[in-house]
Amino acid sequence: MDSRLVNVVVDAVDPGHLSRWWAQALSWRVGYSDADEIDVVPPAGEPGLELVFLQVQDEKVGPNRVHLDLDTSSTAEQRETVEFLLDLGARRADVGQGEVPWVVLADPEGNEFCVLDPRPEYDGTGTVAAVVCQARDPQGLADFWAPVAGFSVVRSSPQVCALRAGNRGPFLEFVSSPTPHTVKNRWHLDVRATRTGPGRERVIADALAAGARHADVGQGDGAGWTVLADPEGNEFCVLSGTVD
């Protein structure tokens, strides 16, 4: 499809505060900033997708369908990371996970994320091990997103399908959930056409042919991006411009 996943976008009531919080939480830094958005980027040499924080007026409703999993290299590091994040202002969260080896937390605006137990398969991901999306049909969404994101399927089971671009950077994972998409996602993905591909309009046309649909999230006319929804209703944006 000649496009690449470039950003994870976060709706925030207070994007200034939440972006600074995530910069501290990940040991990343605030990059581009203006009145409309604040970007949090990984340090030089660390693979990762930028987090783009945008202001919204609506409050969070229910658990997010998209969240981050954070990597750790040992049980001691997992424990220390959880303690650090709690001191920073996170809180423990219950999303029905039961007794599991990972720890579910929520950021200051209630966005859930996980601090994983050490797992060798996440070596080389950087601080963010995976961007995780709930899916009623993990394989179906993985098949849709692989060409849109410019990723390849690297693990597949009825419960989890994982995509990745090469052998560095975070995974994009689709995890089985019976819960359907009912409200606009508070976290969503942005893609951009590749420099050597046929362009943005072709990416949009191919995504629509693969099962996407146009979506209205109040973006209005003249936006520098096109809002689509994947086959399960998860909103994403095809940005203007190109990427290598």
Side-chain angles (χ1 to χ4, degrees):
M1 202 172 286
D2 295 306
S3 53
R4 296 288 181 272
L5 177 60
V6 291
N7 301 322
V8 179
V9 180
V10 183
D11 289 351
V13 173
D14 186 347
H17 178 259
L18 197 61
S19 62
R20 291 190 297 271
W21 189 90
W22 274 101
Q24 288 182 276
L26 300 175
S27 296
W28 289 12
R29 63 179 179 84
V30 174
Y32 177 81
S33 177
D34 65 18
D36 297 317
E37 73 173 70
I38 303 172
D39 300 351
V40 173
V41 302
E46 179 177 332
L49 297 165
E50 292 187 4
L51 303 182
V52 177
F53 293 81
L54 305 178
Q55 187 165 35
V56 298
Q57 300 302 317
D58 53 303
E59 298 286 345
K60 180 176 182 292
V61 178
N64 289 341
R65 295 187 65 77
V66 178
H67 72 266
L68 302 184
D69 280 356
L70 307 188
D71 182 44
T72 63
S73 59
S74 67
T75 53
E77 184 184 10
Q78 183 190 28
R79 182 173 60 253
E80 291 164 2
T81 299
V82 170
E83 291 172 355
F84 167 73
L85 292 167
L86 291 172
D87 288 343
L88 194 63
R91 60 173 176 80
R92 294 184 184 272
D94 184 352
V95 293
Q97 69 269 25
E99 293 294 326
V100 292
W102 59 89
V103 179
V104 183
L105 301 177
D107 71 16
E109 291 200 7
N111 299 297
E112 303 86 3
F113 64 98
C114 298
V115 181
L116 298 179
D117 49 298
R119 304 182 190 185
E121 62 265 36
Y122 294 121
D123 290 348
T125 60
T127 305
V128 177
V131 179
V132 182
C133 182
Q134 293 181 359
R136 303 187 78 180
D137 177 7
Q139 186 64 65
L141 272 195
D143 290 344
F144 171 85
W145 272 100
V148 174
F151 284 21
S152 301
V153 178
V154 294
R155 293 197 306 272
S156 180
S157 76
Q159 294 302 311
V160 182
C161 287
L163 313 180
R164 199 180 191 191
N167 58 5
R168 297 187 77 240
F171 289 80
L172 177 59
E173 297 182 346
F174 299 94
V175 178
S176 179
S177 169
T179 306
H181 175 280
T182 56
V183 297
K184 175 180 175 287
N185 285 350
R186 208 159 182 85
W187 292 50
H188 73 261
L189 306 179
D190 280 353
V191 302
R192 184 172 271 133
T194 59
R195 194 178 306 278
T196 56
R200 176 169 168 257
E201 293 307 317
R202 178 62 177 273
V203 170
I204 294 168
D206 287 349
L208 292 171
R213 58 175 175 81
H214 285 282
D216 184 354
V217 295
Q219 68 269 25
D221 296 329
W225 55 88
T226 298
V227 184
L228 302 178
D230 71 17
E232 292 197 9
N234 300 296
E235 302 85 3
F236 67 99
C237 295
V238 182
L239 305 179
S240 59
T242 58
V243 65
D244 292 330

